[in-house]
Amino acid sequence: MISKHTSPSELTKRIHNKFKSYGRGIRNVSRKLSDAIGKFSKHLWRGDVDEEKKVVLEKSFKHALSRCLVHLLAVSGTTTLAYFNLAGYFIGSQMQGLTGGVYQALDTLCLQVTAKLLELLIVASLGTILMDMLRHELLFGREGLPLGILTSKQQFTELLYLISPQFRFGLGGFATRRKRLLFGLFITTSSLIALFAGPSAALLLIPTQRSNWPAGGASFWLAGDDDFLWPSKLGALSIGGSGCENPTVQNLSTEALNSSGCIWAGYSSLAEAFKQRHFNDEIDLIVDDGVLKRNFIIRPKGEVAETWVLAIHMAVGVLSKNVAGAWYLALKGISASSWRHTLQYRIRNETIGSVESWVPAVRADCSINDISDLFFYNNSSGIELEYPDLPEYNFRLNLSYWIETTLSVSSNVSTHWQRVPGAARLSDNSNTTDVPSAFLSVQMPYYGTNNTGTTFTCSVDARWAMGIYSGGTVGDLDEDYVQTATIQNTRSKIPNLAGYQYNFLPVNDGSWRRVQIDTDWLNTLTPLLGNSTSGWTSLAALLTYMGMDNSTGMIVDYSDVTGVLETIIATLVADGMSRQGYTANGGSSTHFSDALTLLPWDNSVSSQQSLLAGKYTFPPPAGSATPLKWSVVVGGYAYRADSLAYYLALTVLFLHAALALGHTVYVLRKRVCCTAWDSIVELIVLTAKSSILKAPSAIDLFENASAGIERYRKMGTKVRIGASSTSGGTTTSQKDVKILFGDGALAAAGYQELEINKAYG
């Protein structure tokens, strides 16, 4: 302890002595550490250590366990790969770690090196098993081991060894069929495992890009039953409610959400989209009405034989978007410790939600009629015109329906929905009850006249088809979430009929339902404007705005725009069908945001986990309800065994694991292990210390074979390992281990089997 009276010089001296003592302690520790490292290095490399006697057969659980360590490491790698690939694990848009092309390539390289290390472990494991089998025959087998099999541990990884005379004649050297089968089957199996272990490990270890990784989902409910949501007959009760009758021009031109359940509510958005397209026949038509971005799938005439349009059912689309919003909230709030946390690192533009349901599918086909004097037929049904034939499932070429048609005299474009009869006469004078959903006449008078013009007669076939609604990207729903539809079941293409191979051909398997449509429903869909009685409807106004009346003179031949007309007709009908049941499922909302908060979602931890696992169910509404299942897939790197190649790779690794575990159980049970003669060098040394027995049966055993073996029956020569005394064979004399060649070699000249836990020179 330092006193306050201690002088500065004395204090300095004490500190100096203290540091000197610390320095001596550090030098002592450093010297001891250096000596320890030196001794360890000598022991490890045995550079200047003389050979000592060794225990060939040692009974010890610790040594037996260390002998099986190579098995356990390889099986652990196999178990890890099997778990990730069978259970599935999603990584993300990039492999974990540093981003950037160079670092990602380095990650792939490291995984390939890891796969190679696993391959080396498996080969070493198989070699360990095989060497134990060989040693057992050398030490304890009655007949010994054939010479051709002696070095199989060093050669089994070479396929040429399996077809070599050394292997074939070596197997033939076994006296019993059982051992020939045992060694032959094991060596062949080990060779094949060694061959496929590397590619199998690489396939299972290196993740692949997936575009359809399951990322959760939920069950939800639509208010109403099937007949309410997807009715087979559309009439006055299916227009969206009493408030949807007799819409005004103002109603049609306003995107009013309080009436969006009306079948004509999509007219404003569609009219604007078609005006922008003009006579363009693009396939996709994306419409944003403030609630949904819907992609109308269009197959216009020219690409197909008949124009087809698929729409998005509004009730399904809006509720699906609600579920998508809940999923995104769950994903953002999930804990970093969750197994599904990595879904946040997905490829965002490959995050797609989908639901299976009925899809509005409408086809239209129009033909052209030239009528010279309309005054005679004004507002009468006395004229029969030909309408294209659209059978329900089959196809009839070059036929048409004769349908009584109401026309009007007008200098404007005019449209009339015609009554659909229960049976119709075909152009071949036969009758059929297989009639489409609707007939429409569209009059295009020549500019400046009102009694002469071109009349389109159009057949409209409306269906409900079972399909898949897809929406993406699931994330920021206000920006890029576009919904589209695809049909599940269609007929195979019709050969030698141009255009039909691309149609959505209906198939009679219950997945397509034809819809009957009353003229009341159709007239509400395309209502008369003002007090017109001459066919001036919302459809006629749209066609006029697009220039279909040829007021600009751009149409040279009306047959050039037939596909455009069919597209407009089919799209309007499909959109009207898509609003069935929407009033009870969000169509009566008064604000845009109201339609996106229809499903109760508490965003609790348990609800998040359940939704991301695909097991969540939203509570049903009161009254009749129809359940649907929404699911989502994401894109990115992932592990999953989902093809034959993966299952074959797992089979290779599992086969090795079974062999390795079986050998591990055997070794740990016996607790006797041997590490002698693992390498070819040790076998050479053993041979150098041994000599050919002078027994009569082995005098000329290897005569003329010192320069090589060409007579492959020598490969069947029996080989044993035994212990012999170097000084008279007494119990106190030193004993050496010898490799013995020839039948009965062990019994000759006093050779004995090796003993457990005994050291040999």
Side-chain angles (χ1 to χ4, degrees), residues 368-384:
I368 300 176
N369 298 267
D370 288 323
I371 301 176
S372 58
D373 191 353
L374 292 175
F375 282 114
F376 183 75
Y377 305 108
N378 185 29
N379 292 327
S380 69
S381 58
I383 184 174
E384 281 192 338

Side-chain angles (χ1 to χ4, degrees), residues 144-209:
L145 186 71
L147 180 61
I149 305 298
L150 181 61
T151 59
S152 58
K153 188 256 184 179
Q154 288 77 24
Q155 293 179 282
F156 79 94
T157 57
E158 304 171 11
L159 286 181
L160 290 178
Y161 176 68
L162 297 180
I163 61 175
S164 67
Q166 182 180 351
F167 176 68
R168 290 186 285 111
F169 285 94
L171 286 180
F174 285 110
T176 62
R177 178 181 297 179
R178 177 178 173 273
K179 287 191 175 181
R180 283 197 295 270
L181 288 175
L182 175 64
F183 276 85
L185 183 60
F186 183 82
I187 294 175
T188 301
T189 301
S190 298
S191 296
L192 294 177
I193 292 176
L195 174 65
F196 291 107
S200 299
L203 178 65
L204 296 170
L205 185 59
I206 300 176
T208 54
Q209 280 276 10

Side-chain angles (χ1 to χ4, degrees), residues 87-94 96 210-217 326-352 473-475 607-615 630-640:
Y89 180 74
F90 183 79
I91 298 173
S93 60
Q94 293 182 321
Q96 294 175 350
R210 305 297 179 108
S211 60
N212 57 349
W213 185 264
W327 180 87
Y328 187 56
L329 290 176
L331 184 62
K332 290 196 301 182
I334 197 68
S335 170
S337 61
S338 171
W339 178 262
R340 298 176 177 83
H341 174 71
T342 55
L343 294 174
Q344 294 185 359
Y345 309 124
R346 68 201 183 282
I347 299 175
R348 295 186 180 274
N349 59 3
E350 292 185 10
T351 308
I352 307 297
T473 303
V474 180
S607 297
Q608 291 172 355
Q609 293 283 4
S610 180
L611 182 54
L612 294 177
K615 301 177 180 179
W630 181 88
S631 59
V632 61
V633 296
V634 298
Y637 286 101
Y639 290 107
R640 167 153 292 178

Side-chain angles (χ1 to χ4, degrees), residues 300-466:
K301 179 177 287 185
E303 181 183 346
V304 295
E306 307 148 347
T307 297
W308 280 88
V309 174
L310 305 183
I312 301 296
H313 193 272
M314 290 293 294
V316 176
V318 168
L319 271 296
S320 296
K321 192 173 181 179
N322 273 254
V323 183
W327 180 87
Y328 187 56
L329 290 176
L331 184 62
K332 290 196 301 182
I334 197 68
S335 170
S337 61
S338 171
W339 178 262
R340 298 176 177 83
H341 174 71
T342 55
L343 294 174
Q344 294 185 359
Y345 309 124
R346 68 201 183 282
I347 299 175
R348 295 186 180 274
N349 59 3
E350 292 185 10
T351 308
I352 307 297
S354 61
V355 60
E356 182 184 53
S357 184
W358 293 102
V359 174
V362 180
R363 61 173 166 169
D365 195 4
C366 297
S367 58
I368 300 176
N369 298 267
D370 288 323
I371 301 176
S372 58
D373 191 353
L374 292 175
F375 282 114
F376 183 75
Y377 305 108
N378 185 29
N379 292 327
S380 69
S381 58
I383 184 174
E384 281 192 338
L385 297 180
E386 288 186 282
Y387 290 76
D389 179 32
L390 294 179
E392 186 170 11
Y393 296 111
N394 300 317
F395 64 96
R396 298 185 287 259
L397 298 178
N398 303 318
L399 287 178
S400 56
Y401 305 101
W402 286 105
I403 300 297
E404 289 189 357
T405 303
T406 298
L407 300 174
S408 60
V409 175
S410 175
S411 59
N412 297 319
V413 177
S414 59
T415 65
H416 295 273
W417 292 103
Q418 310 298 332
R419 186 183 65 85
V420 178
R425 180 169 61 91
L426 293 172
S427 54
D428 63 355
N429 291 322
S430 63
N431 293 315
T432 180
T433 58
D434 188 0
V435 292
S437 305
F439 295 113
L440 174 69
S441 64
V442 181
Q443 296 173 232
M444 302 287 187
Y446 290 117
Y447 192 70
T449 66
N450 62 359
N451 64 349
T452 303
T454 298
T455 299
F456 289 92
T457 51
C458 303
S459 298
V460 180
D461 183 23
R463 311 283 187 115
W464 295 114
M466 185 56 65

